[in-house]
Amino acid sequence: MKTITQITKVLSNHLNAAIRRKQNLISLINNGDINRLLPKLCNKSQQIRQAIEEYNPSKHKVTKRPNKPQKDKPDIETAKIPIPYQKVINMQATAFLFGSPVQFSDNSEVSEAQDDNGEIIRTSKAAEAFERFKQILKDTRFDSNMRTCKTLAGSETLCAKLYHLYLDPENELQVMVKILAKSYGDDLYYKFDDFGRLIIFARQFTIQDDEGNDEIHCDIYTAETIYRCTQEAIGWDVVAEKNPVGKIPVLLYPQEREWADVQAIIERREDIQCKDADMNDYFANPKVVGEGLVAGAINPDDPAQIIQTQNGGKVYYLTYDSAPENRKRECDTLDSFIYGLTYSVNPASDVIKEMRIPSGVSWEYMFMFPMLKAKNYQDQYGELIDREINVIKAIIGVLYPELKLNGQLDALNVSYQFSTPMPDNVADTLDIIQKSIDAGTMSQETAVSQNPRIKDPKTEMERLNREADKKNMANAIEPTF
């Protein structure tokens, strides 16, 4: 008993400490002291700034290479060739995780009833709520927004998705989604409690007033209140409004830069490419070399000039046959490091160039590493999808209160599954399923759930069961002789 009391006390102390920290932040907001509030929140501005510069080819270090000075002549322009490895790596990471839509299913309890023919009809207890859920996903472009968020998170290390309720021209409540990111003009601030729960989120942005002057705004969200703050000449004007959702309607997507482990390698690869380009430019207008005695002056503007030499003299251009072999090997090694260490695929590799139309197994083998990385990301983004499901359910309760009153919203249980962007090898899959059924190692229900042609396994099993019942009934009443 004493142990339980001690545990309860410790948990209570943690909870009270978290509440006090949140109350201290709220008091700053109520006092209009936003300038003191924001530094107390998490902000990845330095990491975001670095990531954006590395992601933008025009900001790469090689673009700042100095020109080569010449005495009494214009400087020689050096090559400045940024290679957008970062974009290729990031786009692949997004494509393998969200290249195919996330599949949502209604996993709620079902109710059974008999129709006029005596057949059992099974209906989800949250059928209408699930339809509303799917409609919100469609209206807010869930799949395209997830790809955008993943791309932004991988390129900037942080972005957010904001669910916003508003009144349309017919004065009806609607919902929309806005993506927030530094590259979109948003400075994001947030605070988690000791258990990783988001307790406060702030978005600072600048808009222009009717006279074209910049206005700095800061919207702050808690589960209970939304604060609309506007910076004035002295201090901030704060307008508080009730949060109708009852949750912070924001999803945060933090992650490390997709290319973080290979940035130095990328810079080395770009430097080599630029130096090779300088060498090519130098030998594109080669020097004429004369050995021994050459009669007369060489006129470079006369292609038909005849040059005479004496005593075994020679005239030739100063050229080089090809880049050193060790330089080529280093470039190949650097490319393999860049793509291999980021679990990506080199789109310019000989394997891709010579690729025919492989089977599904060959596809999976060829793109195994990007798929492994996507699998690892499913844990992180799956947790965010879980939270987004809860946010959408809370929004459904605001938009359609009748679903909350009749219990459908509480009964709604949404499950989801990530999809692979790899093409399905349907023939091989169906063949394996059929062989497993024939061998008695797979049930019909499992076969139906794994059949790529069947979109709703639960409904398909119900149809199969009804067809089997009809067939058995027909066999039972058929006369035999």
Side-chain angles (χ1 to χ4, degrees):
M1 186 69 181
K2 183 178 180 181
T3 303
I4 296 177
T5 304
Q6 290 174 337
I7 293 174
T8 304
K9 184 177 180 180
V10 170
L11 293 176
S12 177
N13 290 338
H14 276 292
L15 178 62
N16 291 333
I19 292 174
R20 283 195 299 272
R21 285 194 292 270
K22 181 178 178 180
Q23 290 174 341
N24 292 337
L25 297 175
I26 298 302
S27 65
L28 291 175
I29 300 173
N30 291 329
N31 294 332
D33 202 350
I34 309 302
N35 292 333
R36 285 185 58 198
L37 167 74
L38 296 181
K40 296 181 180 296
L41 305 180
C42 298
N43 175 257
K44 300 176 63 175
S45 58
Q46 183 175 352
Q47 298 96 312
I48 293 173
R49 191 179 303 110
Q50 177 186 355
I52 291 176
E53 288 185 359
E54 293 174 357
Y55 197 69
N56 184 354
S58 65
K59 300 289 186 181
H60 287 192
K61 289 183 179 180
V62 292
T63 62
K64 302 177 178 63
R65 294 182 72 217
N67 294 329
K68 294 181 180 179
Q70 294 189 105
K71 186 176 182 180
D72 300 329
K73 292 182 181 181
D75 292 349
I76 298 176
E77 186 78 17
T78 58
K80 302 169 178 63
I81 308 174
I83 307 175
Y85 285 105
Q86 294 87 346
K87 290 189 176 182
V88 176
I89 294 168
N90 192 42
M91 289 173 63
Q92 287 191 26
T94 298
F96 279 93
L97 184 60
F98 291 117
S100 294
V102 178
Q103 302 298 321
F104 290 91
S105 303
D106 182 5
N107 205 31
S108 309
E109 293 184 13
V110 297
S111 57
E112 297 182 353
Q114 284 188 341
D115 62 8
D116 296 336
N117 297 324
E119 294 185 359
I120 301 297
I121 304 298
R122 296 176 177 85
T123 307
S124 169
K125 292 183 178 180
E128 185 180 354
F130 184 64
E131 290 301 317
R132 297 297 188 185
F133 177 86
K134 291 193 298 183
Q135 189 61 45
I136 289 178
L137 293 181
K138 180 181 178 181
D139 293 343
T140 58
R141 305 189 306 278
F142 173 84
D143 293 311
S144 62
N145 281 334
M146 286 304 296
R147 287 191 291 271
T148 300
C149 288
K150 177 64 187 74
T151 301
L152 287 169
S155 62
E156 300 185 23
T157 72
L158 180 68
C159 71
K161 182 193 294 185
L162 169 65
Y163 277 87
H164 173 64
L165 295 175
Y166 68 98
L167 291 175
D168 65 10
E170 285 74 31
N171 208 35
E172 293 184 0
L173 201 58
Q174 302 290 344
V175 61
M176 65 174 291
V177 162
K178 181 175 178 60
I179 306 300
L180 310 177
K182 179 64 176 179
S183 57
Y184 291 179
D186 303 295
D187 290 319
L188 308 181
Y189 301 84
Y190 55 94
K191 190 76 171 179
F192 290 98
D193 65 12
D194 296 341
F195 301 96
R197 294 170 297 198
L198 185 64
I199 59 175
I200 189 168
F201 172 82
R203 167 206 175 203
Q204 185 171 302
F205 57 99
T206 302
I207 61 174
Q208 289 188 336
D209 61 16
D210 296 336
E211 298 179 357
N213 299 317
D214 288 343
E215 279 188 354
I216 299 178
H217 291 255
C218 185
D219 291 346
I220 304 172
Y221 295 82
T222 67
E224 302 81 18
T225 311
I226 301 174
Y227 301 90
R228 310 291 185 186
C229 310
T230 305
Q231 190 176 45
E232 298 184 335
I234 300 177
W236 292 75
D237 176 59
V238 178
V239 177
E241 57 187 58
K242 183 181 178 181
N243 183 354
V245 178
K247 296 178 180 291
I248 298 179
V250 174
L251 287 304
L252 277 177
Y253 299 91
Q255 71 160 81
E256 182 56 274
R257 297 163 295 158
E258 286 290 347
W259 63 92
D261 294 334
V262 297
Q263 177 60 29
I265 303 176
I266 292 175
E267 291 174 358
R268 170 65 179 171
R269 181 66 178 83
E270 289 178 328
D271 186 61
I272 292 176
Q273 194 67 45
C274 290
K275 289 179 179 178
D276 284 350
D278 289 340
M279 188 68 68
N280 292 336
D281 290 341
Y282 179 80
F283 283 103
N285 298 298
K287 305 293 189 295
V288 177
V289 178
E291 293 183 0
L293 296 177
V294 180
I298 299 175
N299 183 7
D301 297 326
D302 183 5
Q305 181 185 12
I306 298 176
I307 304 173
Q308 295 180 346
T309 62
Q310 300 175 5
N311 300 331
K314 295 180 181 179
V315 177
Y316 56 89
Y317 284 112
L318 180 63
T319 62
Y320 80 125
D321 295 331
S322 61
E325 185 64 26
N326 61 340
R327 178 67 65 88
K328 183 179 184 303
R329 285 199 302 267
E330 182 180 1
C331 289
D332 292 342
T333 301
L334 292 176
D335 283 339
S336 66
F337 282 161
I338 290 170
Y339 290 108
L341 295 177
T342 57
Y343 284 66
S344 306
V345 174
N346 184 354
S349 68
D350 293 337
V351 176
I352 301 295
K353 292 178 182 177
E354 299 172 1
M355 184 174 61
R356 297 294 184 266
I357 302 178
S359 67
V361 176
S362 299
W363 275 109
E364 292 182 0
Y365 179 78
M366 187 176 302
F367 298 107
M368 179 176 63
F369 287 107
M371 293 173 67
L372 286 175
K373 181 165 70 170
K375 280 287 186 183
N376 290 333
Y377 273 133
Q378 287 180 12
D379 294 334
Q380 175 185 345
Y381 281 84
E383 183 179 343
L384 292 169
I385 292 176
D386 286 334
R387 185 176 186 277
E388 188 161 4
I389 290 173
N390 292 330
V391 170
I392 294 176
K393 288 174 65 175
I395 291 172
I396 292 174
V398 177
L399 298 179
Y400 310 101
E402 68 277 7
L403 297 178
K404 191 172 184 179
L405 293 175
N406 64 21
Q408 279 209 34
L409 200 55
D410 291 334
L412 179 60
N413 183 8
V414 178
S415 61
Y416 60 90
Q417 184 175 2
F418 288 91
S419 303
T420 173
M422 292 293 95
D424 294 328
N425 193 351
V426 177
D428 287 353
T429 303
L430 294 178
D431 184 58
I432 293 172
I433 290 175
Q434 186 60 52
K435 288 180 179 178
S436 299
I437 294 175
D438 294 341
T441 59
M442 180 181 289
S443 67
Q444 187 183 41
E445 185 173 355
T446 302
V448 169
S449 66
Q450 294 186 3
N451 191 325
R453 295 296 190 188
I454 297 175
K455 303 302 180 184
D456 189 348
K458 185 186 296 185
T459 303
E460 191 67 22
M461 278 303 302
E462 293 173 358
R463 292 171 181 165
L464 289 172
N465 290 332
R466 288 198 296 269
E467 290 176 1
D469 292 341
K470 288 181 179 178
K471 187 175 181 179
N472 293 333
M473 186 178 297
N475 292 334
I477 64 176
E478 183 179 349
T480 59
F481 300 98

